[in-house]
Amino acid sequence: MNFTMPNLLPAYPEIFLLVMVSVILVLDLFLPQALRYISYVLTQLTLLGCAVLTLDVAVLTQGQVTYTFTHMFVADLMGHALKVAAYIAVFTTLVYSRSYLSDRGIWKGEFFALLRQEALDGESEGTLYIELSADRGADPLDRSQWRKANPSFPLRTSERAMLRLRKKLKNPDSWNREALGIWDEITKQFSPVNGALWADGVDIGPPDGAKPAALGVDMSHDRQISVGACWIEQDSAHVEEVWAGVDEPGAVDWVVARAGRQMQVVIDTMSPASSMIPVLKARGVKVHPGGPNDMARGCGLIVSDVDAGRLTHADQEPLNDARDGARKRAIEKAGGWGYNRVDPTVYIHPLVAVTLARVGAAMAPRKSNRTGTGRRVITG
């Protein structure tokens, strides 16, 4: 059998698009967050290149209907026009969605998949997402599932057409994606603390001089220290990072001066900050050594407070970044969870610190109008 090289000219835009998509997706895996704009620029340049190639094909073929790949690929004026319109629509969408994606920490290569998952997880703000698909795990030949995934079946899309498509898509995963609208499961996780509700919780907090109900201390693996504070007013809580730095003796002195002998200070015994527990206790501080149950309780309190609009914060960048980068990790088998990170460049210890402070505030007796030193953030 002699192989006849197909005419590639009509498919130049698609070939260019396939190559660039592969390059961008692979490159995006290795780009740090600060260089994400490179993927964006390459994507926009790719769309412009596709538009130019499409117009070139239209000119070179003189607008005539052109077939290639054994008549499975058709190029005509209507197709060229629709492709250029699609390029313009995607280009415009990326321009207008850039700030939205960046603000929500999903400025990634496959942002549509991430937006979809965000909508399904209830994390999206002001987004209506409608998806038609069969049930995951359903019988691939169940006609009722075909109707669920494709409302045009069987009136406009015949059973014969579906069976013909099934014959071409023999792989079950391909059939689920292309015919039944079932997406591959996405392992990407989002922050367990709702981003939109967190943004709504920005507040100046209690007046200067108001003493917090409790403090929480956490330390990153490279020994960056964060001290969080929590104030309680009736059923609402306010959290802030009140000390940050790498000077452990300085952090101890600061906590001793602010906490005294009555304020609850919570430190996770599994954290590097646990090295501060015996020193603080020796200096008379009321330290609660936290365990897995305390962490699970604190995470639950933070999420429930945020969801109910009962938690406010001071819009501090380290705390916001920690919320963006935090992910869930299971604690034991009863449904409890704690914070985790998947990006080694992300610091989540400020969020852990305020979460521990929230636990301490829940254990502390309710008092109002407590006064003391100011709550200005200290770095050391």
Side-chain angles (χ1 to χ4, degrees), residues 37 44 128 135 146-147 164 188 238 266 275 287 344 346 362:
Y37 70 90
Q44 298 294 60
L128 173 65
D135 296 329
W146 290 6
R147 287 193 296 272
R164 187 165 59 245
K188 165 71 180 179
H238 180 85
V266 184
S275 61
V287 180
V346 171

Side-chain angles (χ1 to χ4, degrees), residues 240-275:
E240 292 185 19
E241 182 182 54
V242 290
W243 193 96
V246 295
D247 180 6
E248 186 170 337
V252 168
D253 291 341
W254 191 92
V255 171
V256 169
R258 271 69 181 180
R261 296 178 177 271
Q262 299 299 320
M263 186 183 298
Q264 193 81 251
V265 178
V266 184
I267 302 177
D268 192 337
T269 56
M270 300 300 292
S271 166
S274 60
S275 61

Side-chain angles (χ1 to χ4, degrees), residues 4 17 61 81 109 171 183 186-187 203 238 287 292 298 331 348 367:
T4 303
L17 179 62
T61 59
N171 182 279
W183 285 59
I186 299 175
T187 58
D203 190 82
H238 180 85
V287 180
I331 295 180
I348 63 172
K367 293 183 180 181

